[in-house]
Amino acid sequence: TIIDQLIFSQIDLNGTLASSLGEINTLTVLEVTTTSLSGSIPRTFGNMTALQNLFLANNNLSGSLPSSLGELGSLTGLVVAYNNMTGPLPASFGNLTSLQSLAVEDNSLSGSLPSSLGGLGNLTSLVVAYNKMTGPLPASFGSLASLQLLDVGENSLSGSLPSSLGWLSKLTSFAANFNQMTGTIPAS
């Protein structure tokens, strides 16, 4: 028997995510949402090369996002929202060229937004709101040709809005509220 989906949602699971899950290289979907699981996301999750959707929202997960997740070349959806994650958003996420949705809102992520994310041409939704991100919004985000939703609100971003955001012809929703950005809205 080949397992290709594991879904645990809205059940009272305790404990931590087992690193041995990373050995199930046939998984296309791993969804563990709205549980009482705590601890970190195992680095071994980067070994699940068939994984297309990784949903780990609304748990009590902590620690940093493993850079090994950037090796999941088939990943289209990555949701680690509503946890207690800390540290930076890994630059290796720029390798996830199939990614369509990245949601890491409502954590305690810090550091700057990686400019490498600007290479994700299939990305339609990027939500990093309610974190502790700092620095400017990368000009490379203007290359996200498929982007429809960009939410960076409720962080500590600074600098001015890059004029390259005017190139986002598919963008329908943009939120940058409650940051320390200055300047004017780009005319483009």
Side-chain angles (χ1 to χ4, degrees), residues 81-158:
Y82 304 100
N83 282 290
N84 300 306
M85 305 303 296
T86 56
L89 196 57
S92 65
F93 284 12
N95 298 331
L96 300 173
T97 55
S98 298
L99 200 64
Q100 297 172 10
S101 177
L102 174 59
V104 293
E105 74 266 25
D106 209 350
N107 280 288
S108 292
L109 297 174
S110 58
S112 59
L113 291 166
S115 59
S116 60
L117 296 181
L120 301 178
N122 292 311
L123 198 66
T124 60
S125 175
L126 175 58
V127 182
V128 294
Y130 297 96
N131 278 291
K132 298 176 181 178
M133 305 301 292
T134 57
L137 199 58
S140 65
F141 281 19
S143 299
L144 296 170
S146 300
L147 198 65
Q148 299 171 22
L149 167 65
L150 176 58
D151 188 350
V152 295
E154 302 276 349
N155 279 288
S156 295
L157 297 174
S158 57

Side-chain angles (χ1 to χ4, degrees), residues 165-181:
L165 292 183
W167 303 336
L168 300 176
S169 61
K170 295 185 179 179
L171 191 68
T172 57
S173 181
F174 174 59
N177 52 306
F178 297 103
N179 280 289
Q180 281 78 52
M181 295 179 160

Side-chain angles (χ1 to χ4, degrees), residues 34-75:
T34 316
T35 73
S36 298
L37 287 177
S38 59
S40 61
I41 299 170
R43 285 188 299 243
T44 57
F45 280 22
N47 298 334
M48 295 187 283
T49 54
L51 202 62
Q52 296 172 11
N53 290 295
L54 178 58
F55 301 137
L56 302 173
N58 201 24
N59 296 294
N60 292 311
L61 300 175
S62 59
S64 58
L65 291 166
S67 60
S68 62
L69 296 180
E71 298 171 20
L72 300 174
S74 299
L75 205 63

